[in-house]
Amino acid sequence: MQDYKMEKIQMVDLKGQYLKIKDEVDAAIQHCIDNTAFINGPQVDEFRNGLSAYLNVKHVIPCANGTDALQIALMALSLQPGDEVIVPSFTYVATTEVIALLGLVPVMVDVDPNTFNITAELVETGITAKTKAIVPVHLFGQSANMEEIMELAAKFNLYVIEDNAQAIGSTYTFKDGRTAKTGTIGHIGTTSFFPSKNLGCYGDGGAICTNDDELGAKIKMMANHGQVKKYVHKYIGVNSRLDTLQAGILSVKLKHLDQYSDARGAAATYYDKGLAQIQGIQIPVRNPQSTHVFHQYTLLIKDGRRDELKKFLESKEVPAMIYYPIPLNHQEAFKNISKVIGNLDASTTLCQSVLSLPIHTEMQESVQDYIISVIKEFYAS
Ligand SMILES: *Cc1c(COP(=O)(O)O)cnc(C)c1O
């Protein structure tokens, strides 16, 4: 039993996680099959309500994936072609792609080289008369400085859509001590339930949330063919649904989310202790305003040795990933349709020096000890 643990080290251990909740998950799946309500079955509402209570947000609209969530959020803002939307240049392509798809202009600003997130100061450098929205990405599991970003947005009358695909469960603390879950601070928040995300289902899934009643109603319509009621269409929308099966699985996993975040946090702290003393490495820098749910544990490898270290780790059966190797402003797809603010030096440097180590909810200290020892061996040679 549990032989998989002796197998090779993985970036994410979905099998180990599943085995611990197998009975609950299997029952939820069987229940859904017994009901045969595969589309918009009762489990979808159940999950919607559960997530809304967990996040403490008024409206949750489940959808097919995190990319759709971003697109639908933008569609609900009634923007005009040519309107500008500010995004970080150091993020996953989905954030920016949907902006371009809607005929809007992605305006790429640099990120803070320590937290990897955009800041209000950097966003401000990209604001013009055409700017309509900002999409902060809570990269790798901790919040961008939302209080400052919301203040800036209010000043320039901009919408804020939080791309919370990597940070679900993370908590942001305002200067007055008030707290809020990431994804519920901006006008709209979006997330993804891709299997390897912190709240992952067993296929594709996503959700959009908002505290604004008007936006909530419009988002709901946009995700369902722009439909006000059956066969009455007010907007050009899309068909984007969360499968009932996935909703059933997600309700089970949602109950464990805080414990999953704690497990990831503990693994990160253990890595920190083992790696902090190494000269050539910068361990993750935490934003004091946010908890960190460590979707990724990402090191900065100095002295141009990142690729060399990655190879060395792989030669010792330790996987390591580069999120992300190319800044979005250097992607061919975005060449003639995006605006780039400044030189984006930090993003470029990050792409050359970031390295993410295995981290997940089933991390064992013995495995981490091994990974740390391999890294120490690399630096000793
Ligand atoms: C995963 C991810 C998405 C897209 O989610 P999908 O469910 O794969 O469409 C969007 N933004 C960020 C930052 C992500 O990490």
Side-chain angles (χ1 to χ4, degrees):
M1 191 44 203
Q2 307 234 327
D3 271 351
Y4 68 92
K5 291 234 163 96
M6 308 305 292
E7 282 169 17
K8 64 180 171 46
I9 303 172
Q10 304 173 77
M11 289 298 290
V12 180
D13 182 6
L14 297 180
K15 184 72 182 284
Q17 189 191 61
Y18 164 65
L19 290 177
K20 285 192 180 156
I21 53 171
K22 183 178 186 311
D23 291 349
E24 282 178 283
V25 169
D26 290 0
I29 292 171
Q30 191 58 52
H31 182 62
C32 174
I33 296 172
D34 289 341
N35 275 345
T36 65
F38 298 117
I39 301 293
N40 290 333
Q43 287 86 352
V44 177
D45 265 337
E46 198 179 298
F47 174 62
R48 176 211 312 281
N49 295 336
L51 188 60
S52 151
Y54 175 83
L55 294 173
N56 190 23
V57 71
K58 263 170 108 176
H59 307 282
V60 169
I61 299 95
C63 65
N65 58 66
T67 308
D68 273 10
L70 283 161
Q71 180 177 330
I72 294 162
L74 284 163
M75 286 169 74
L77 301 182
S78 312
L79 304 183
Q80 299 305 311
D83 283 350
E84 295 180 356
V85 181
I86 296 178
V87 290
S89 50
F90 186 65
T91 179
Y92 183 56
V93 66
T95 318
T96 309
E97 182 179 49
V98 293
I99 296 168
L101 264 178
L102 295 173
L104 308 168
V105 180
V107 176
M108 298 175 185
V109 299
D110 214 351
V111 296
D112 178 279
N114 290 308
T115 61
F116 313 146
N117 281 326
I118 54 169
T119 63
E121 298 84 79
L122 289 163
V123 169
E124 190 159 6
T125 61
I127 295 177
T128 72
K130 285 186 169 173
T131 309
K132 292 285 154 43
I134 307 165
V135 185
V137 180
H138 304 312
L139 205 70
F140 303 149
Q142 70 179 340
S143 184
N145 278 330
M146 286 304 294
E147 186 160 9
E148 288 85 348
I149 291 170
M150 293 310 291
E151 282 165 8
L152 184 73
K155 186 170 153 195
F156 290 93
N157 200 21
L158 309 175
Y159 285 110
V160 176
I161 300 174
E162 298 173 72
D163 182 344
N164 194 32
Q166 301 189 3
I168 194 161
S170 165
T171 301
Y172 182 80
T173 304
F174 293 84
K175 290 189 196 91
D176 65 4
R178 209 162 36 92
T179 63
K181 290 286 185 194
T182 52
T184 68
I185 304 161
H187 303 91
I188 307 177
T190 67
T191 198
S192 163
F193 306 124
F194 186 85
S196 62
K197 297 283 158 80
N198 287 37
L199 179 60
C201 60
Y202 293 178
D204 274 308
I208 309 151
C209 58
T210 183
N211 279 309
D212 183 310
D213 295 338
E214 226 168 280
L215 281 174
K218 194 161 175 196
I219 289 164
K220 195 174 167 197
M221 285 187 251
M222 283 298 182
N224 186 26
H225 301 290
Q227 182 172 294
V228 192
K229 58 182 187 188
K230 208 159 177 66
Y231 305 121
V232 179
H233 304 275
K234 181 164 179 183
Y235 305 104
I236 299 294
V238 295
N239 171 25
S240 188
R241 294 184 284 240
L242 179 67
D243 284 352
T244 309
L245 268 169
Q246 302 303 344
I249 294 164
L250 284 165
S251 283
V252 171
K253 292 188 71 177
L254 180 60
K255 289 186 285 179
H256 301 277
L257 181 58
D258 283 343
Q259 178 222 318
Y260 290 160
S261 301
D262 290 348
R264 288 172 177 274
T269 304
Y270 198 77
Y271 272 138
D272 282 352
K273 277 200 210 112
L275 300 172
Q277 307 311 323
I278 300 175
Q279 285 297 317
I281 285 180
Q282 180 179 303
I283 59 172
V285 174
R286 294 158 189 245
N287 176 356
Q289 298 305 119
S290 171
T291 62
H292 200 321
V293 293
F294 285 97
H295 175 60
Q296 298 297 341
Y297 182 85
T298 304
L299 301 170
L300 284 184
I301 309 301
K302 302 172 194 168
D303 315 313
R305 299 192 73 189
R306 193 266 314 269
D307 293 347
E308 202 188 329
L309 173 59
K310 183 173 189 290
K311 273 204 193 98
F312 187 76
L313 284 162
E314 281 161 358
S315 76
K316 306 277 182 182
E317 311 287 323
V318 177
M321 298 290 284
I322 297 167
Y323 304 115
Y324 297 94
I326 306 172
L328 290 178
N329 55 302
H330 289 159
Q331 295 284 0
E332 191 179 344
F334 291 102
K335 237 175 220 160
N336 300 313
I337 50 142
S338 59
K339 249 176 84 176
V340 171
I341 305 301
N343 53 25
L344 306 185
D345 274 352
S347 297
T348 306
T349 306
L350 288 178
C351 288
Q352 291 159 358
S353 51
V354 285
L355 192 64
S356 298
L357 297 181
I359 193 159
H360 49 75
T361 58
E362 314 304 310
M363 223 54 215
Q364 290 177 319
E365 288 185 356
S366 57
V367 174
Q368 291 191 273
D369 285 337
Y370 173 70
I371 295 171
I372 292 163
S373 76
V374 172
I375 295 173
K376 284 186 170 158
E377 187 187 338
F378 174 80
Y379 281 102
S381 61

